[in-house]
Amino acid sequence: LAEGNGTNFERIIIMMNDKQTEKWIGYLLSTAAFCLSLVQTVSIVCYILIMIIRLSSKNERGIISGNFFKSPLFWGLPLLYLWHLVGLIWTENFKYAGLDLEIKAAFLLLPLFIGTLVISERNYRTTLCGFIAGCLTASLILLVHAALKFNETGLHTAFFYIDYSSLLMHPTYISMYLNMAILFLFHLMNGSTEKWNLKFYSAGILFFFIQLLLLSARTAQAVALLTFVVAAFLYLRKGEGLRLIRIHSIVILCFTLLSYFALQSLNNRF
């Protein structure tokens, strides 16, 4: 009986530790998602902490090995990283090669330690919302910074392309994050039935699309339009949100055409 009670006690302790581990991983994951479009160093630190926490937990180590080897989808990026390592055989510029391997370390670490995570629905939604909130914060910072710059110089280019995004990162990178935010908003919209939530998600999609027009990364705008077209077909196929989709279609088309003809700098980019 004493032995059985001891075993049960140990199981309770293990379960409590697993819950604490899941809680901390949830906090770190949502923080990393929020900071991706703002301060990427913070996101990297969060990823490293998640890696340390998971490696120090016996249960998490089992989940990592089980999920990683179970799905070939996780193998692609680590194999690409290993191919870069093989490429060192032919290189003479080890200084650049070392920097390149450091930058591409995410190819090895993210699929292994982030891709194999098993998280609750709550942590999943918190991470999505954290990422969207981070993109919204970054966009507002860029708008305020551009307005102050315009007030100082009188040049409208403060709201355009590299001049607009220079405070945080290159327009290509931040546009990629905004495209992901649009995808996540469509995803949240698809799972919501509350009227005010739908209006909020809809406004968020339009706001991020306007940001993409200001950032003027050509591929990013093409991806955003393609995303919207695919989402529209999916909604129409399900028979959901027809009125909302029509409004989105008209507004986005008008924004695209008017910005193309009205903004000379955008016209020149394309």
Side-chain angles (χ1 to χ4, degrees):
L1 183 63
E3 187 180 344
N5 286 339
T7 304
N8 289 336
F9 181 72
E10 286 173 6
R11 285 176 182 169
I12 291 169
I13 294 296
I14 290 169
M15 286 174 66
M16 288 175 65
N17 288 337
D18 288 344
K19 284 186 178 180
Q20 284 295 317
T21 299
E22 183 185 350
K23 189 166 92 170
W24 278 106
I25 287 174
Y27 288 149
L28 290 167
L29 202 59
S30 55
T31 302
F34 179 80
C35 292
L36 264 175
S37 55
L38 291 163
V39 189
Q40 290 184 327
T41 307
V42 175
S43 298
I44 293 168
V45 170
C46 289
Y47 294 145
I48 292 169
L49 289 174
I50 289 173
M51 179 184 71
I52 293 169
I53 289 170
R54 298 196 73 194
L55 287 175
S56 63
S57 166
K58 183 180 178 181
N59 184 48
E60 286 295 323
R61 289 198 299 271
I63 292 172
I64 291 169
S65 59
N67 286 347
F68 185 78
F69 292 108
K70 190 191 300 181
S71 176
L73 289 173
F74 290 129
W75 304 348
L77 291 176
L79 286 174
L80 182 61
Y81 190 80
L82 292 174
W83 186 243
H84 275 274
L85 283 174
V86 172
L88 294 180
I89 297 170
W90 295 278
T91 191
E92 293 178 358
N93 190 348
F94 282 97
K95 184 178 179 182
Y96 180 82
L99 177 64
D100 200 43
L101 288 172
E102 183 182 329
I103 292 169
K104 290 182 172 65
F107 287 179
L108 183 64
L109 299 178
L110 289 182
L112 191 59
F113 296 107
I114 306 299
T116 57
L117 274 170
V118 177
I119 59 174
S120 65
E121 179 67 23
R122 182 182 175 184
N123 283 341
Y124 171 72
R125 288 184 66 86
T126 303
T127 302
L128 288 190
C129 293
F131 180 81
I132 293 167
C135 288
L136 180 61
T137 304
S139 298
L140 293 174
I141 288 172
L142 292 181
L143 276 172
V144 171
H145 179 256
L148 293 173
K149 204 171 175 183
F150 175 76
N151 187 54
E152 184 182 331
T153 63
L155 297 173
H156 75 278
T157 52
F159 290 93
F160 177 70
Y161 195 46
I162 290 177
D163 287 346
Y164 184 56
S165 71
S166 59
L167 183 67
L168 294 177
M169 62 188 75
H170 193 276
T172 302
Y173 302 144
I174 196 162
S175 295
M176 176 180 67
Y177 293 132
L178 296 185
N179 266 316
M180 287 303 299
I182 289 173
L183 278 171
F184 290 157
L185 283 168
F186 269 124
H187 173 66
L188 293 172
M189 183 187 288
N190 190 41
S192 177
T193 54
E194 294 183 23
K195 191 174 180 181
W196 284 107
N197 280 351
L198 290 172
K199 286 183 178 180
F200 176 77
Y201 298 147
S202 176
I205 289 169
L206 293 177
F207 176 74
F208 286 137
F209 190 80
I210 293 168
Q211 289 295 303
L212 289 173
L213 289 175
L214 296 177
L215 290 163
S216 303
R218 289 166 291 191
T219 304
Q221 286 189 29
V223 169
L225 287 169
L226 180 62
T227 298
F228 181 78
V229 169
V230 171
F233 273 111
L234 288 174
Y235 282 124
L236 288 168
R237 193 171 144 194
K238 290 182 179 180
E240 298 172 357
L242 297 182
R243 184 169 172 269
L244 200 60
I245 290 298
R246 290 192 194 104
I247 293 170
H248 268 92
S249 301
I250 293 168
V251 172
I252 285 179
L253 184 61
C254 288
F255 268 124
T256 306
L257 291 174
L258 287 173
S259 61
Y260 179 78
F261 288 112
L263 301 174
Q264 186 62 36
S265 51
L266 186 64
N267 186 291
N268 289 340
R269 282 281 295 152
F270 280 83

